[in-house]
Amino acid sequence: MALKKMSRDSYEKLVAELDDLKINRRKEVAERLKVARSYGDLSENAEYDEAKNEQAILEAHISELQYTIDNAEIVEDSNISVDEVGMSSKITIKRIDNGKVETFTIVGTNHANVREGKISDESPIGKAAMKKKVGDVFIVEAPAGELRFEILEISK
């Protein structure tokens, strides 16, 4: 299993989210189960079924976060390269066909948020930009066809 690279900030957010799920959300779901059980016959109890389903989804999410944390490789800010695109790089790219310039930070999947300018290293643009240098052109396959981008700047 390859380690999943992420910034210290991303790692700490995942740990905080996991703690919240384990401490607070588990209690909430357990309370919902307790209340639903008090309604009697479990075979026809929609609230109980819903609470059990919510519990299963919660536990799956906790397991997924724990796995990600256990297999994380933290990329410290001092190790972020400005020579080539990598995890936690801030990149400024230009779309060649229309000249539109955008700036993104490459983050792990759990912290991607396009509105905040954070794209996943597994997204089409993130994946295609990895290991590229300033001046490099890369191609992204999109439903509308090939999109070409040029790396204008790489920073921390």
Side-chain angles (χ1 to χ4, degrees):
M1 155 63 209
L3 293 176
K4 179 76 174 145
K5 292 185 178 188
M6 65 180 65
S7 68
R8 168 128 346 251
D9 185 48
S10 292
Y11 178 83
E12 288 172 359
K13 284 179 182 174
L14 284 181
V15 169
E17 181 183 355
L18 180 63
D19 287 346
D20 181 57
L21 292 177
K22 285 180 170 180
I23 295 164
N24 300 318
R25 288 287 296 140
R26 271 185 176 157
K27 282 181 188 169
E28 291 170 16
V29 172
E31 186 59 32
R32 285 191 59 204
L33 276 168
K34 183 178 165 187
V35 169
R37 260 192 234 105
S38 72
Y39 295 152
D41 184 9
L42 298 182
S43 65
E44 296 180 17
N45 188 330
E47 288 86 358
Y48 181 77
D49 290 343
E50 189 179 316
K52 283 299 283 182
N53 191 36
E54 185 179 352
Q55 182 184 42
I57 292 168
L58 173 64
E59 291 304 324
H61 188 54
I62 287 172
S63 293
E64 183 182 313
L65 281 177
Q66 188 67 60
Y67 182 82
T68 301
I69 289 167
D70 290 346
N71 292 285
E73 178 184 341
I74 297 171
V75 178
E76 299 294 350
D77 285 351
S78 59
N79 295 335
I80 298 171
S81 172
V82 294
D83 298 325
E84 71 175 21
V85 177
M87 187 58 84
S88 299
S89 291
K90 185 174 185 176
I91 60 171
T92 302
I93 58 173
K94 178 175 76 175
R95 194 162 143 192
I96 292 176
D97 65 347
N98 65 12
K100 183 177 179 184
V101 174
E102 294 181 278
T103 300
F104 297 108
T105 301
I106 308 292
V107 297
T109 307
N110 299 46
H111 297 286
N113 184 331
V114 176
R115 287 192 190 104
E116 294 177 5
K118 297 176 181 177
I119 60 170
S120 165
D121 60 326
E122 297 174 13
S123 70
I125 290 175
K127 188 182 286 188
M130 293 300 266
K131 304 285 186 206
K132 300 293 186 280
K133 297 177 180 354
V134 172
D136 286 355
V137 172
F138 63 93
I139 298 169
V140 174
E141 294 293 333
E146 288 185 349
L147 302 177
R148 293 176 182 271
F149 295 90
E150 178 184 356
I151 305 272
L152 300 178
E153 183 181 2
I154 303 168
S155 60
K156 293 182 182 183

